[in-house]
Amino acid sequence: MRDEEVGGAMTTGNGSAASHQNAALEAAVGRLWAEIEARRDEIVETVADLVRFPSLLGEEAAVQGYVGAHLRASGLATEVRDMDDGLKALPNAGESGVPFAVRPNVAGTLTGAGGGQSLILNGHVDVVSAEPVSAWTRDPWGASVEGDRMYGRGAYDMKSGVALNLLLPRMIRDLGIVLRGDLLVHSVIEEECTGNGTLDLSLRQRADAALVTEPMGGAFAVAHVGVLWFRVAVDGVAWHAMQAYRGVNAILKAMPILRALEELDRELNEAPPHPSFAGIEHPINLNVGVIHGGDWPSTVAGSCELHCRLAFYPGQSVAEVRARIEAAIGAAADADPWLREHRPRVTYDGFQTEGSTVPPEEPAVRLLGAWHERVTGEVMAPAVGTGVNDMRYYRFLGTPAGCYGANGGNGHAADEWLDLASLVPTAKAIGAFALEWCGVAR
Ligand SMILES: [Zn+2]
C-alpha cells in the first residue's frame, strides 16, 4: 500500500470520505495500469512515429503537427502557436539564430472537473544532429527495434517521453476516468539549444506541478546547472603562406585563449561546489565545441572563431558568468602583444540560462517517488544534472518541477537507443502520480 508519509490529495481529509477517495484512486490506478500493459505496442509505435520525423532545429513543424493532431484526437483543448520574437528579450531566453515562424509550440489541456491540483507533462520534440551519420550502425531516423531496444536519434532523448505525454491523457480519457485538476501537455521546440519553447509555454499556462519526461532511467532530476554559449572571434592578417611570417595567423592567436579557457575550467571546478553537486565528478564543464579558422592551406588564417559552452551552478547569474569569461579572455589578450591591440570579441548565442533545483521534500516529488517505489520496488534516486534541462522555467516561477522518464543510452551520440522494457513501468509511475496529484473525480 501507499507510503503514509506521502503528501497529496489522499492524505488530506478524513474518515469515510478519504477512504472513499482512496478506493476510487486505487480503482483508477488499477485500470490505468492494465490499459498501459494492454497498449504497450501502441506506446512503442508512437515513439517510432515520432522518431521518424527528423525534427532537427528549424525542422520541428511536421512532428509538432503530429503531436497537435494526436492531442486533439484525444479530446484535449489544443493550441498550436508560433512564439513571438519578444520572447528573446526575456531573462533566461536564448538565440538559436532560427526564426520562430512555422515552428510552433503545442499545448493541450485535459480539463478536469474541478477541485484538484493541475499538472503539466512537458517534453521537447527537437533532437540534436545525427552527425557523423557514418558512425551509426542503424538508420538514425529508422526507429528499428531489436529485442528490447529501439534505435534512432531522439528515441531516448526524448521522444520516449513525448509519447508517454501523448498517451497517458489519451488512456485516461479512453477509460472514462475524470480528473479533478487539469492535466496539461507541453510539447516544445528548442530545448537542445535555448529553452525558448518551454520558457514560452511556462509563461502562458501555469500549473501546480510540472514533470519533464526526460529519459532519466527511473531517477529524478533534483538539480541541474545553468548553461551559457559564447563565441570568441580572433582577428589575424591573411597573407600568402610562402611569406607566412608577414601575416598574423588567427588560429595560432586563438591558442592563448584556448589555454585561458582550459585554466578557467580548472579554477571553476576547484571552487567549492554548490551543495547539490558535492561529490559529482567535474561538475562544471567548459567545452570548446566548434572552431572555424582560415579557409586555405596556403593562406595565413585571417580570422578564427571559437564556439564554446560553459556550465555554472544554480544560484549564479548569467551576468556574473559572462564577466568571468570576459575577464579570463581579457587577461590572455593583455599578455599577447597582438591580441592586446586587436582584442578578441566575445559574443553570446544559444543557451543563456541559470540552473535550478527542486527540494526533494516537495509533495509532488515525494508523491512521484512513492509511485516509482510501488511500481519498481526501488527508491527513486535523486539525480543531479551537469547539463541543462527544461524543468528550470517552471522552477523560476516557483512551480515544483523535475525530470523523470524512461531508460536507454547514447543520447547525443551514434546508435542512440531506448530501453523499451522501461516504457511500461515509467508510464505506470507517471500515470498513477498524475491520477493522485490531479485527483480522480469519477
Ligand atoms: Zn532531452
Side-chain angles (χ1 to χ4, degrees), residues 85-94 196 199-200 203 352:
D85 280 334
L87 189 81
K88 293 180 183 177
L90 298 179
N92 301 297
N196 287 338
L199 171 59
D200 176 59
L203 297 172
Q352 302 294 322

Side-chain angles (χ1 to χ4, degrees), residues 87-106:
L87 189 81
K88 293 180 183 177
L90 298 179
N92 301 297
E95 173 56 74
S96 71
V98 182
F100 286 146
V102 205
R103 303 168 56 224
N105 267 335
V106 180

Side-chain angles (χ1 to χ4, degrees), residues 124 157-158 191-192 214:
H124 66 86
D157 179 13
M158 63 163 288
E191 189 274 349
E192 297 285 8
E214 288 273 10

Side-chain angles (χ1 to χ4, degrees), residues 239-245 296-300:
W239 202 259
H240 197 300
M242 69 185 188
Q243 296 174 319
Y245 63 90
W296 196 251
S298 285
T299 299
V300 172

Side-chain angles (χ1 to χ4, degrees), residues 69 85 139 202-203 212 221 224-225 269-270 344 360 385 389 391 404 421:
D85 280 334
D139 175 2
S202 71
L203 297 172
V212 182
H224 69 89
V225 293
N269 283 282
E270 281 177 1
N389 73 62
M391 66 184 260
Y404 176 89

